[in-house]
């Protein structure tokens, strides 16, 4: 991030100074009939399932900015700790930054205490942070991981409410994905079965929801380690460029040419000696 | 996600609930349903836990905004623990209820959550306290709360007897929850009951299909 004074360390955590700048800008732009750009939302389908040996998390990879697909291969499963991953739905920037902050906090905690972080601790930290911001941070998260106490899956809402569950879907495609999960989820499933279930749930979200699409990412967390399969399955509907879109110089003919020299005068001249000794 | 809660007065997940607590001879039973909703027509969770243990023999049930309620109970749990360590003895139920009341009253503009605190202590035995939305604290022999409670005021007023036995009280609480869940759309799921006595704490979970049925069901 570029700062006017790079020697000054920025205050930690979130900084709402730009809210005032944005309000002022909106006022200026309104007159000119242009609207400020909308924040990029993930308009997403994410799902998680607890199975016999661990946790399986899944997500689609489309990030939208109003009607336009801003990113076709966005990573929605964020790293929190070697044994904890988090899927995020809602405002893309909020989910990125919140999970980044959480990951840093947990790493420092690990180093200080000499213990591996637990999923319940990550959930509590998220809850405290999001509650403090009263819902202004649009992060809907699915937190999953395996620690010494077992495999856990938590949902964290933007207002700071948490719930511990065994299967879950969130995002704009959640109702479609939930239908698949409600139908086929069984406690203590085998790993392969759980991966297929999550894949099908995300696929259903992609098919039925306009905000979700492109590829499917799956993250499998077990006691032995993490398997981050990106992409687990590529989109069936990929476009192919029909023509070459490069134009050679001279394609557009030049009709007239007018050169206007800009009058500039030297206001100040400073000479800085360079020490080349 | 936003489309789920269009005009809800409670932002985010609400517990839209039925909660109750009843004293009996030797203890207190605290109970709730297990449904969490958003906006009156989407059930976010069928198995949410609304009975939060704030100390060994003191439980709290929550109603209103889930986020606010969880934040208040977390703070209260910490403060009650600290109080108990400083006093070197288990906290009084009244102390726990007062902690909740202070949090609710001092932050009444920002919070939208109500609580029922119930438990057992050595000084006064089984007690029930209710902390309403604005921070009012009342001590009662039994109390009901949440959106589903409006449907069972008549039932509880008619059927409550002081000094019931444990089984009678369990039946009373189960019936009350079943009646409320039957009429209130934002209450449902399973019935969670916790029996708190001097000897300990016992959880009873009654799944939806095992709840008592009344004549029109």
């Amino acid at each position: 991030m570029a700062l006017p004074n790079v020697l000054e360390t920025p205050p930690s955590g979130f900084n709402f100074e730009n809210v005032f700048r944005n309000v002022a800008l909106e006022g200026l732009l309104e007159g000119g009939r242009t609207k400020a750009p909308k924040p990029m939302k993930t308009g997403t389908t994410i799902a998680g399932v607890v199975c016999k040996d661990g946790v399986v998390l899944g997500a689609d990879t489309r990030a939208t900015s109003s009607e336009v697909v801003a990113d076709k291969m966005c990573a929605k499963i964020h790293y929190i700790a070697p044994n904890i991953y988090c899927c995020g739905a809602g405002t893309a920037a909020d989910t990125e930054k919140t999970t980044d902050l959480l990951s840093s906090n947990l790493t420092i905690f690990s180093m200080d205490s000499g213990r591996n972080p637990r999923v319940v601790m990550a959930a509590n930290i998220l809850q405290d942070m999001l509650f403090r911001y009263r819902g202004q941070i649009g992060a809907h998260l699915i937190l999953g991981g395996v620690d010494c106490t077992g495999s856990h899956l938590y949902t964290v809402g933007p207002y700071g409410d948490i719930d511990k569950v065994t299967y879950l879907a969130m995002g704009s495609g959640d109702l479609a994905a939930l239908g698949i999960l409600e139908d086929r989820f069984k406690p203590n499933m085998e790993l392969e079965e759980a991966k297929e279930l999550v894949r099908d749930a995300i696929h259903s979200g992609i098919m039925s929801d306009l905000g979700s699409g492109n590829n499917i990412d799956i993250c499998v967390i077990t006691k032995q380690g993490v398997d981050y399969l990106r992409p687990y399955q590529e989109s069936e509907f990929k476009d192919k460029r029909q023509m070459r879109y490069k134009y050679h110089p001279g394609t557009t003919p030049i009709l007239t040419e007018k050169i206007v020299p800009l009058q500039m005068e030297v206001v100040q001249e400073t000479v800085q000696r360079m020490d080349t000794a | 996600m936003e489309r789920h809660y269009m005009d809800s007065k409670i932002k985010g997940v609400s517990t839209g609930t039925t909660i109750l607590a009843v004293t009996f001879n030797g203890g207190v039973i605290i109970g709730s349903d297990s449904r969490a909703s958003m906006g009156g027509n989407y059930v976010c969770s069928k198995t949410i836990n609304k009975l939060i243990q704030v100390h060994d023999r003191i439980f709290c049930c929550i109603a209103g905004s889930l986020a606010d309620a969880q934040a208040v109970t977390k703070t209260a749990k910490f403060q009650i623990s600290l109080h108990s360590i400083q006093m070197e003895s288990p906290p009084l139920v009244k102390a726990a209820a007062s902690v909740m009341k202070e949090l609710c009253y001092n932050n009444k503009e920002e919070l939208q959550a109500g609580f029922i605190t119930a438990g057992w202590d050595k000084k006064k035995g089984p007690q029930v306290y209710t902390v309403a939305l604005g921070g009012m604290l009342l001590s009662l022999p039994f109390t009901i709360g949440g959106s589903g409670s409006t449907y069972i005021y008549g039932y509880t007023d008619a059927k409550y007897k002081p000094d019931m036995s444990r089984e009678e009280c369990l039946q009373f609480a189960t019936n009350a929850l079943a009646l409320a869940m039957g009429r209130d759309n934002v209450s449902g799921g399973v019935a969670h009951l916790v029996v708190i006595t001097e000897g300990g704490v016992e959880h009873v979970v009654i799944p939806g299909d095992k709840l008592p049925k009344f004549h029109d069901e």
Side-chain angles (χ1 to χ4, degrees), chain A residues 124 127 134 162-163 182, chain B residues 45-46 67-68 70 74 110:
Chain A
N124 274 311
Q127 177 173 50
R134 317 287 292 135
I162 64 172
D163 192 15
E182 292 270 4
Chain B
S45 176
K46 299 173 271 195
D68 290 348
Q70 285 182 341
K74 271 176 88 167
E110 282 95 32

Side-chain angles (χ1 to χ4, degrees), chain B residues 39-120:
Chain B
N41 55 12
Y42 176 64
V43 175
C44 312
S45 176
K46 299 173 271 195
T47 54
I48 200 111
N49 176 30
K50 301 185 201 181
L51 298 176
I52 319 252
Q53 181 161 26
V54 292
H55 207 264
D56 293 345
R57 296 280 186 280
I58 308 176
F59 273 72
C60 240
C61 37
I62 59 183
S65 155
L66 188 60
D68 290 348
Q70 285 182 341
V72 171
T73 45
K74 271 176 88 167
T75 316
K77 205 167 164 181
F78 161 73
Q79 288 185 3
I80 293 165
S81 263
L82 183 61
H83 169 74
S84 169
I85 290 172
Q86 287 176 331
M87 300 287 273
E88 292 194 8
S89 86
L92 297 178
V93 187
K94 180 157 189 191
S98 294
V99 166
M100 312 286 296
K101 179 259 292 172
E102 281 295 299
L103 289 167
C104 287
Y105 183 72
N106 291 332
N107 297 299
K108 62 160 72 161
E109 274 89 42
E110 282 95 32
L111 292 174
Q112 261 193 312
F115 305 89
I116 294 180
T117 309
W120 184 95

Side-chain angles (χ1 to χ4, degrees), chain B:
Chain B
M1 289 304 275
E2 291 78 48
R3 64 163 191 272
H4 292 319
Y5 61 86
M6 293 299 198
D7 300 306
S8 177
K9 291 193 296 284
I10 295 180
K11 286 274 169 91
V13 178
S14 136
T15 49
T17 197
T18 309
I19 48 177
L20 49 73
V22 191
T23 50
F24 64 91
N25 193 355
V28 61
I29 291 185
I30 190 166
S32 80
D33 69 310
S34 69
R35 179 173 290 182
S37 54
M38 254 215 263
N41 55 12
Y42 176 64
V43 175
C44 312
S45 176
K46 299 173 271 195
T47 54
I48 200 111
N49 176 30
K50 301 185 201 181
L51 298 176
I52 319 252
Q53 181 161 26
V54 292
H55 207 264
D56 293 345
R57 296 280 186 280
I58 308 176
F59 273 72
C60 240
C61 37
I62 59 183
S65 155
L66 188 60
D68 290 348
Q70 285 182 341
V72 171
T73 45
K74 271 176 88 167
T75 316
K77 205 167 164 181
F78 161 73
Q79 288 185 3
I80 293 165
S81 263
L82 183 61
H83 169 74
S84 169
I85 290 172
Q86 287 176 331
M87 300 287 273
E88 292 194 8
S89 86
L92 297 178
V93 187
K94 180 157 189 191
S98 294
V99 166
M100 312 286 296
K101 179 259 292 172
E102 281 295 299
L103 289 167
C104 287
Y105 183 72
N106 291 332
N107 297 299
K108 62 160 72 161
E109 274 89 42
E110 282 95 32
L111 292 174
Q112 261 193 312
F115 305 89
I116 294 180
T117 309
W120 184 95
D121 65 44
K122 219 162 90 155
K123 186 167 169 193
K124 287 208 203 146
Q127 298 145 74
V128 166
Y129 292 86
T130 172
V131 179
L133 224 58
M136 167 186 82
L137 174 64
L138 279 184
S139 167
L140 300 153
F142 78 94
T143 187
I144 53 179
S147 57
S149 65
T150 49
Y151 305 99
I152 49 172
Y153 273 107
Y155 175 79
T156 52
D157 283 344
K159 289 291 182 178
Y160 173 73
K161 296 191 307 285
D163 274 334
M164 284 188 277
S165 73
R166 182 182 174 280
E167 282 62 40
E168 279 180 313
C169 191
L170 213 50
Q171 192 58 52
F172 170 73
T174 314
N175 285 348
L177 281 175
L179 285 166
M181 291 200 274
R183 285 291 181 182
D184 184 25
N185 67 326
V186 285
S187 301
V190 306
H192 283 294
L193 295 156
V194 173
V195 184
I196 309 168
T197 55
E198 177 177 8
V201 160
E202 188 200 330
H203 289 263
V204 178
V205 176
I206 305 172
D209 53 353
K210 304 271 192 319
L211 283 172
K213 289 204 181 336
F214 297 91
H215 73 97
D216 56 352
E217 289 178 76

